[in-house]
Amino acid sequence: MNNRQRTKLLKQAYNYLQRYRVAPPECFVYNRREVYRFPNDWGASVIQGDGSHGLEVAVIMWFDEPVVHFELDPATYICRDPLGYLDENGLREVLIRIYNLGGPK
């Protein structure tokens, strides 16, 4: 598979994952802010702007007790810290990996 085909497949997967975007908290001010909640109760926080390391993504775990909230989760095999300086394809790859994680332990 060449780079162009890979990019096309990643874009298709990314477009599918957009259905899992939720409204980000209002307390953050970045040029780009996206929050995802996937059916497996894992998610991602995506930021880009002042104070971030370029395009940055962190793995999060969602909770529903008693108010819906999320926390960074360093226990995944994807990363212990937010991943910074990603390009668009890198972001898409990380979101796909998070989407495919098993349920939280």
Side-chain angles (χ1 to χ4, degrees), residues 19-82:
R19 69 185 69 202
Y20 298 108
R21 280 180 66 174
V22 296
E26 293 297 323
C27 60
F28 293 98
V29 180
Y30 292 102
N31 296 340
R32 180 175 181 177
R33 174 84 168 129
E34 300 171 6
V35 176
Y36 294 84
R37 183 178 188 166
F38 300 123
N40 57 5
D41 284 330
W42 291 104
S45 173
V46 178
I47 60 170
Q48 185 174 28
D50 293 339
S52 72
H53 296 103
L55 181 54
E56 187 174 325
V57 63
V59 179
I60 57 177
M61 182 189 295
W62 285 90
F63 300 93
D64 286 328
E65 47 183 54
V67 177
V68 175
H69 68 281
F70 62 85
E71 296 177 5
L72 293 179
D73 193 302
T76 67
Y77 72 90
I78 294 175
C79 62
R80 297 184 68 75
D81 294 313

Coordinates of all heavy atoms in Angstrom, one line a residue, residues 19-82:
R19 N -18.4 10.4 14.6 CA -19.7 10.2 15.3 C -19.5 10.1 16.8 O -20.5 10.2 17.5 CB -20.4 9.0 14.7 CG -19.8 7.7 15.1 CD -20.4 6.5 14.4 NE -20.1 6.6 13.0 CZ -20.9 5.9 12.0 NH1 -21.9 5.2 12.4 NH2 -20.6 6.1 10.8
Y20 N -18.3 9.9 17.3 CA -18.0 9.7 18.7 C -17.5 11.0 19.4 O -17.1 10.9 20.5 CB -17.1 8.5 18.9 CG -17.7 7.2 18.4 CD1 -17.2 6.6 17.3 CD2 -18.7 6.6 19.1 CE1 -17.7 5.4 16.8 CE2 -19.3 5.4 18.7 CZ -18.8 4.8 17.5 OH -19.3 3.7 17.1
R21 N -17.5 12.1 18.6 CA -17.0 13.3 19.2 C -18.1 13.8 20.2 O -19.3 13.7 19.9 CB -16.8 14.4 18.2 CG -15.4 14.2 17.5 CD -15.2 15.2 16.4 NE -15.1 16.6 17.0 CZ -14.7 17.6 16.3 NH1 -14.4 17.5 15.0 NH2 -14.6 18.8 16.9
V22 N -17.7 14.4 21.3 CA -18.6 15.0 22.2 C -18.2 16.4 22.4 O -17.1 16.8 22.1 CB -18.6 14.2 23.6 CG1 -19.1 12.8 23.4 CG2 -17.2 14.2 24.2
A23 N -19.0 17.2 23.0 CA -18.7 18.6 23.3 C -17.6 18.7 24.3 O -17.7 18.1 25.4 CB -20.0 19.3 23.8
P24 N -16.5 19.4 24.0 CA -15.4 19.6 24.9 C -15.8 20.5 26.0 O -16.7 21.4 25.9 CB -14.3 20.2 24.1 CG -15.0 20.9 23.0 CD -16.3 20.1 22.7
P25 N -15.2 20.4 27.2 CA -15.4 21.3 28.3 C -15.1 22.8 27.9 O -14.2 23.0 27.1 CB -14.4 20.9 29.4 CG -14.1 19.5 29.0 CD -14.2 19.4 27.5
E26 N -15.8 23.7 28.4 CA -15.6 25.1 28.0 C -14.4 25.8 28.6 O -14.1 26.9 28.3 CB -16.9 25.9 28.3 CG -18.1 25.5 27.5 CD -17.9 25.8 26.0 OE1 -17.3 26.8 25.7 OE2 -18.4 24.9 25.2
C27 N -13.8 25.1 29.6 CA -12.8 25.8 30.4 C -11.4 25.8 29.6 O -10.5 26.4 30.0 CB -12.6 25.1 31.7 SG -12.1 23.3 31.6
F28 N -11.3 25.1 28.5 CA -10.1 25.1 27.7 C -10.2 26.0 26.5 O -11.2 26.1 25.9 CB -9.8 23.7 27.2 CG -9.5 22.7 28.3 CD1 -10.5 21.9 28.8 CD2 -8.2 22.6 28.9 CE1 -10.2 21.0 29.8 CE2 -7.9 21.8 29.9 CZ -8.9 20.9 30.4
V29 N -9.1 26.7 26.3 CA -9.0 27.6 25.1 C -7.8 27.2 24.2 O -6.7 27.4 24.6 CB -8.9 29.1 25.5 CG1 -8.8 30.0 24.3 CG2 -10.0 29.5 26.4
Y30 N -8.1 26.5 23.1 CA -7.1 26.1 22.2 C -7.6 26.4 20.8 O -8.8 26.6 20.6 CB -6.8 24.6 22.3 CG -6.1 24.2 23.6 CD1 -6.8 23.6 24.6 CD2 -4.7 24.5 23.8 CE1 -6.2 23.3 25.8 CE2 -4.1 24.2 24.9 CZ -4.8 23.6 26.0 OH -4.2 23.2 27.1
N31 N -6.7 26.5 19.8 CA -7.2 26.6 18.5 C -8.0 25.4 18.0 O -8.9 25.5 17.2 CB -6.0 26.8 17.5 CG -5.2 28.0 17.8 OD1 -5.7 29.0 18.4 ND2 -3.9 28.1 17.4
R32 N -7.6 24.3 18.5 CA -8.4 23.0 18.2 C -8.6 22.2 19.5 O -7.6 22.0 20.2 CB -7.5 22.2 17.2 CG -8.2 20.9 16.8 CD -7.3 20.3 15.7 NE -7.9 19.0 15.2 CZ -7.4 18.3 14.3 NH1 -6.3 18.7 13.7 NH2 -7.9 17.2 13.9
R33 N -9.8 21.8 19.7 CA -10.1 21.0 20.9 C -11.2 20.0 20.5 O -12.3 20.4 20.1 CB -10.6 21.9 22.0 CG -11.1 21.2 23.2 CD -10.0 20.9 24.2 NE -10.6 20.4 25.4 CZ -10.2 19.3 26.0 NH1 -9.3 18.5 25.5 NH2 -10.8 18.9 27.2
E34 N -10.8 18.7 20.6 CA -11.8 17.7 20.3 C -11.8 16.7 21.4 O -10.7 16.4 22.0 CB -11.4 17.0 19.0 CG -11.4 17.9 17.8 CD -10.8 17.2 16.6 OE1 -10.5 16.0 16.6 OE2 -10.6 17.9 15.6
V35 N -12.9 16.1 21.8 CA -13.0 15.1 22.8 C -13.8 14.0 22.2 O -14.9 14.2 21.6 CB -13.7 15.6 24.1 CG1 -13.8 14.5 25.1 CG2 -12.8 16.7 24.7
Y36 N -13.4 12.7 22.4 CA -14.0 11.6 21.8 C -14.4 10.6 23.0 O -13.7 10.5 23.9 CB -13.1 10.8 20.9 CG -12.8 11.6 19.6 CD1 -11.7 12.5 19.6 CD2 -13.5 11.4 18.5 CE1 -11.4 13.2 18.5 CE2 -13.2 12.1 17.3 CZ -12.1 13.0 17.3 OH -11.8 13.7 16.2
R37 N -15.6 10.0 22.8 CA -16.0 8.9 23.7 C -16.4 7.7 22.8 O -17.4 7.8 22.1 CB -17.1 9.4 24.6 CG -17.5 8.3 25.6 CD -18.6 8.7 26.5 NE -18.8 7.6 27.5 CZ -19.5 7.8 28.6 NH1 -20.1 8.9 28.9 NH2 -19.6 6.8 29.5
F38 N -15.6 6.7 22.9 CA -15.9 5.5 22.1 C -16.8 4.5 22.9 O -16.8 4.6 24.1 CB -14.6 4.8 21.7 CG -13.7 5.8 20.8 CD1 -12.5 6.1 21.2 CD2 -14.3 6.4 19.7 CE1 -11.7 7.0 20.5 CE2 -13.5 7.2 18.9 CZ -12.2 7.5 19.3
P39 N -17.4 3.5 22.2 CA -18.3 2.6 22.9 C -17.6 1.7 23.9 O -18.3 1.2 24.8 CB -18.8 1.7 21.7 CG -18.6 2.5 20.5 CD -17.5 3.4 20.7
N40 N -16.3 1.6 23.9 CA -15.6 0.8 24.9 C -15.2 1.6 26.1 O -14.5 1.1 27.0 CB -14.3 0.3 24.2 CG -13.4 1.3 23.7 OD1 -13.6 2.5 23.8 ND2 -12.3 0.9 23.0
D41 N -15.7 2.8 26.3 CA -15.5 3.7 27.4 C -14.1 4.3 27.4 O -13.7 4.9 28.4 CB -15.9 3.1 28.8 CG -17.4 3.1 29.0 OD1 -18.0 4.0 28.4 OD2 -17.9 2.2 29.7
W42 N -13.3 4.1 26.4 CA -12.1 4.8 26.2 C -12.4 6.0 25.4 O -13.4 6.1 24.7 CB -11.0 3.9 25.5 CG -10.5 2.8 26.3 CD1 -10.9 1.5 26.2 CD2 -9.6 2.9 27.4 NE1 -10.2 0.7 27.1 CE2 -9.4 1.5 27.9 CE3 -8.9 3.9 28.0 CZ2 -8.6 1.2 29.0 CZ3 -8.1 3.6 29.1 CH2 -7.9 2.3 29.6
G43 N -11.5 7.0 25.4 CA -11.7 8.1 24.5 C -10.4 8.8 24.3 O -9.3 8.3 24.7
A44 N -10.5 10.0 23.8 CA -9.3 10.8 23.5 C -9.6 12.3 23.7 O -10.7 12.8 23.4 CB -8.8 10.6 22.0
S45 N -8.6 13.0 24.1 CA -8.6 14.5 24.2 C -7.6 15.0 23.2 O -6.4 14.6 23.3 CB -8.3 14.9 25.6 OG -8.2 16.3 25.7
V46 N -8.0 15.8 22.3 CA -7.1 16.3 21.2 C -7.1 17.8 21.4 O -8.1 18.5 21.4 CB -7.7 15.9 19.8 CG1 -6.8 16.5 18.7 CG2 -7.8 14.4 19.7
I47 N -5.8 18.3 21.4 CA -5.7 19.8 21.5 C -4.6 20.2 20.6 O -3.7 19.5 20.2 CB -5.3 20.3 23.0 CG1 -4.1 19.6 23.5 CG2 -6.5 20.0 23.9 CD1 -3.5 20.3 24.8
Q48 N -4.6 21.5 20.2 CA -3.6 22.1 19.4 C -3.7 23.6 19.7 O -4.8 24.2 19.6 CB -3.7 21.8 18.0 CG -2.6 22.4 17.1 CD -2.6 21.9 15.7 OE1 -3.7 21.7 15.2 NE2 -1.5 21.8 15.0
G49 N -2.6 24.3 20.0 CA -2.6 25.7 20.3 C -1.6 26.1 21.3 O -0.7 25.3 21.6
D50 N -1.7 27.3 21.8 CA -0.8 27.8 22.8 C -0.7 26.8 24.0 O -1.8 26.5 24.5 CB -1.1 29.2 23.3 CG -1.0 30.2 22.2 OD1 -0.2 30.0 21.3 OD2 -1.6 31.3 22.3
G51 N 0.4 26.5 24.4 CA 0.6 25.6 25.6 C 0.6 24.1 25.2 O 0.8 23.3 26.1
S52 N 0.3 23.7 24.0 CA 0.3 22.3 23.6 C 1.6 22.0 22.8 O 2.3 22.9 22.4 CB -0.9 22.0 22.8 OG -0.8 22.5 21.5
H53 N 1.9 20.7 22.7 CA 3.1 20.3 21.9 C 2.6 20.0 20.5 O 2.5 18.8 20.1 CB 3.7 19.0 22.6 CG 4.3 19.3 23.9 ND1 3.6 19.0 25.1 CD2 5.4 20.0 24.3 CE1 4.4 19.4 26.1 NE2 5.4 20.0 25.7
G54 N 2.3 21.0 19.8 CA 1.7 20.8 18.4 C 0.4 20.2 18.5 O -0.4 20.4 19.4
L55 N 0.1 19.3 17.6 CA -1.2 18.5 17.6 C -0.9 17.4 18.6 O 0.0 16.6 18.5 CB -1.5 18.0 16.3 CG -2.8 17.1 16.1 CD1 -4.0 17.9 16.6 CD2 -3.0 16.7 14.7
E56 N -1.7 17.4 19.7 CA -1.5 16.5 20.9 C -2.7 15.7 21.2 O -3.8 16.2 21.1 CB -1.1 17.4 22.0 CG -0.6 16.7 23.3 CD -0.2 17.7 24.3 OE1 0.4 18.8 23.9 OE2 -0.4 17.5 25.5
V57 N -2.5 14.4 21.5 CA -3.7 13.6 21.9 C -3.3 12.8 23.2 O -2.2 12.4 23.4 CB -4.1 12.6 20.8 CG1 -2.9 11.6 20.5 CG2 -5.3 11.8 21.1
A58 N -4.3 12.7 24.1 CA -4.2 12.0 25.3 C -5.3 10.9 25.4 O -6.4 11.2 25.0 CB -4.3 12.9 26.5
V59 N -4.9 9.7 25.9 CA -5.9 8.7 26.1 C -6.7 9.0 27.4 O -6.1 9.3 28.4 CB -5.2 7.3 26.2 CG1 -6.3 6.2 26.5 CG2 -4.4 7.0 25.0
I60 N -8.0 8.9 27.3 CA -8.8 9.1 28.5 C -9.8 7.9 28.7 O -10.1 7.2 27.8 CB -9.6 10.4 28.4 CG1 -10.5 10.4 27.1 CG2 -8.7 11.6 28.4 CD1 -11.4 11.7 27.0
M61 N -10.2 7.8 30.0 CA -11.2 6.8 30.3 C -12.4 7.6 30.9 O -12.3 8.5 31.6 CB -10.6 5.9 31.4 CG -11.6 4.8 31.8 SD -11.1 3.9 33.3 CE -9.6 3.1 32.7
W62 N -13.6 7.1 30.4 CA -14.8 7.8 30.8 C -15.5 7.1 32.0 O -15.4 5.9 32.1 CB -15.8 7.8 29.6 CG -15.5 8.7 28.6 CD1 -14.7 8.5 27.5 CD2 -15.9 10.1 28.5 NE1 -14.6 9.7 26.7 CE2 -15.3 10.6 27.3 CE3 -16.7 10.9 29.3 CZ2 -15.5 12.0 26.9 CZ3 -16.9 12.2 28.9 CH2 -16.3 12.7 27.7
F63 N -16.1 7.9 32.9 CA -16.8 7.4 34.0 C -18.2 8.0 34.0 O -18.4 9.2 33.6 CB -16.1 7.8 35.3 CG -14.7 7.3 35.4 CD1 -13.6 8.0 35.0 CD2 -14.5 6.0 35.9 CE1 -12.3 7.5 35.1 CE2 -13.2 5.5 36.0 CZ -12.1 6.3 35.6
D64 N -19.2 7.4 34.6 CA -20.6 7.9 34.7 C -21.1 7.9 36.1 O -22.2 7.7 36.4 CB -21.5 7.0 33.8 CG -21.3 7.2 32.3 OD1 -21.0 8.3 31.9 OD2 -21.5 6.3 31.6
E65 N -20.2 8.3 37.0 CA -20.6 8.2 38.4 C -20.2 9.5 39.2 O -19.0 9.7 39.3 CB -20.0 7.0 39.1 CG -18.5 6.9 38.7 CD -17.8 5.7 39.3 OE1 -18.2 4.6 39.1 OE2 -16.8 6.0 39.9
P66 N -21.0 10.2 39.8 CA -22.4 10.4 39.5 C -22.6 11.3 38.3 O -23.7 11.4 37.7 CB -23.0 11.0 40.7 CG -21.8 11.8 41.3 CD -20.6 11.0 40.9
V67 N -21.6 12.1 37.9 CA -21.6 13.0 36.8 C -20.6 12.4 35.7 O -19.6 11.9 36.0 CB -21.2 14.4 37.2 CG1 -21.2 15.3 36.0 CG2 -22.1 14.9 38.3
V68 N -21.0 12.6 34.5 CA -20.1 12.1 33.4 C -18.8 12.9 33.4 O -18.9 14.2 33.4 CB -20.8 12.2 32.0 CG1 -19.8 11.9 30.9 CG2 -22.0 11.3 32.0
H69 N -17.7 12.3 33.6 CA -16.4 12.9 33.5 C -15.4 12.0 33.0 O -15.7 10.8 32.8 CB -16.0 13.5 34.9 CG -15.7 12.4 35.9 ND1 -16.7 11.7 36.5 CD2 -14.5 11.9 36.3 CE1 -16.1 10.9 37.4 NE2 -14.8 10.9 37.2
F70 N -14.2 12.5 32.7 CA -13.1 11.6 32.2 C -11.8 12.0 32.9 O -11.7 13.1 33.4 CB -13.0 11.7 30.7 CG -12.7 13.1 30.1 CD1 -11.3 13.5 30.1 CD2 -13.6 13.9 29.7 CE1 -11.0 14.7 29.6 CE2 -13.3 15.2 29.1 CZ -12.0 15.6 29.1
E71 N -10.9 11.1 32.8 CA -9.6 11.3 33.4 C -8.6 10.7 32.4 O -8.8 9.8 31.7 CB -9.4 10.5 34.7 CG -10.3 11.0 35.8 CD -10.2 10.2 37.1 OE1 -9.4 9.4 37.2 OE2 -11.0 10.5 38.0
L72 N -7.4 11.3 32.4 CA -6.3 10.8 31.6 C -6.0 9.4 32.2 O -6.0 9.1 33.4 CB -5.0 11.6 31.7 CG -5.1 13.0 31.1 CD1 -3.8 13.7 31.4 CD2 -5.4 12.9 29.6
D73 N -5.7 8.4 31.3 CA -5.4 7.1 31.8 C -4.0 6.6 31.3 O -3.9 6.3 30.1 CB -6.5 6.1 31.3 CG -6.4 4.8 32.0 OD1 -5.3 4.2 31.9 OD2 -7.4 4.4 32.7
P74 N -3.1 6.6 32.2 CA -1.7 6.2 31.8 C -1.5 4.7 31.7 O -0.4 4.2 31.3 CB -0.8 6.8 32.9 CG -1.7 6.7 34.1 CD -3.1 7.0 33.6
A75 N -2.6 3.9 31.9 CA -2.4 2.4 32.0 C -2.5 1.8 30.6 O -2.4 0.6 30.5 CB -3.4 1.9 32.9
T76 N -2.8 2.5 29.6 CA -3.0 1.8 28.3 C -1.6 1.6 27.6 O -0.6 2.2 28.0 CB -3.8 2.7 27.3 OG1 -3.0 3.9 27.0 CG2 -5.1 3.1 27.8
Y77 N -1.6 0.6 26.7 CA -0.4 0.3 26.0 C -0.1 1.3 25.0 O 1.0 1.4 24.4 CB -0.4 -1.1 25.4 CG -1.3 -1.2 24.2 CD1 -0.9 -0.9 22.9 CD2 -2.7 -1.5 24.3 CE1 -1.7 -1.0 21.8 CE2 -3.5 -1.6 23.2 CZ -3.0 -1.3 22.0 OH -3.8 -1.4 20.9
I78 N -1.0 2.2 24.7 CA -0.8 3.2 23.6 C 0.2 4.3 24.1 O 1.2 4.6 23.4 CB -2.1 3.9 23.2 CG1 -3.0 2.8 22.5 CG2 -1.8 5.1 22.3 CD1 -4.3 3.3 22.1
C79 N 0.0 4.8 25.3 CA 1.0 5.8 25.8 C 0.7 6.1 27.3 O -0.4 5.9 27.7 CB 0.8 7.1 25.0 SG -0.8 7.9 25.1
R80 N 1.7 6.5 28.0 CA 1.6 6.9 29.4 C 1.3 8.4 29.5 O 0.8 8.8 30.5 CB 2.8 6.4 30.2 CG 3.0 4.9 30.2 CD 4.1 4.5 31.1 NE 3.9 4.8 32.5 CZ 3.1 4.1 33.3 NH1 2.4 3.1 32.8 NH2 3.0 4.4 34.6
D81 N 1.8 9.1 28.5 CA 1.7 10.6 28.6 C 1.0 11.0 27.3 O 0.9 10.2 26.3 CB 3.0 11.2 28.6 CG 3.7 10.9 29.9 OD1 3.1 11.1 31.0 OD2 4.9 10.6 29.9
P82 N 0.5 12.2 27.2 CA 0.0 12.7 25.9 C 1.0 12.6 24.8 O 2.2 12.8 25.0 CB -0.4 14.2 26.2 CG -0.6 14.2 27.7 CD 0.3 13.2 28.3

